[in-house]
Amino acid sequence: MPGFDTKHCACGYAAAMSVRHVLLSCPRWVDEREEELGELTRDLREILGTEQGATAAIRLILRTGLLEQFKATV
């Protein structure tokens, strides 16, 4: 991805940044995860497989700023 020199997360805990890591375990986004996902299960398939979960996941990703390079496309 443009602007990223490595596939590793800046948190230092993940071997590679992934959707699973950001949505479920990255320590950088604990507060955002709690606010957006709240009571939702911590199972990635259940989160992304429901309208409520997918919407919450999108809000979480937007709050992280990780995909700012796509902002100009919307």
Side-chain angles (χ1 to χ4, degrees):
M1 297 294 289
F4 292 93
D5 298 328
T6 178
K7 65 180 182 175
H8 301 284
C9 184
C11 75
Y13 290 105
M17 181 168 303
S18 66
V19 171
R20 177 179 302 282
H21 174 68
V22 172
L23 292 181
L24 300 179
S25 63
C26 184
R28 296 174 66 198
W29 314 115
V30 171
D31 294 336
E32 292 84 350
R33 183 180 307 111
E34 184 60 34
E35 288 175 25
E36 298 299 345
L37 298 180
E39 297 295 318
L40 291 172
T41 179
R42 295 299 188 230
D43 180 274
L44 189 61
R45 282 181 278 177
E46 288 186 37
I47 291 172
L48 297 179
T50 65
E51 183 177 345
Q52 177 188 9
T55 301
I58 290 167
R59 284 194 312 263
L60 173 57
I61 294 297
L62 290 173
R63 288 183 63 184
T64 68
L66 291 170
L67 300 179
E68 286 295 310
Q69 67 270 27
F70 297 111
K71 195 172 191 175
T73 64
V74 290

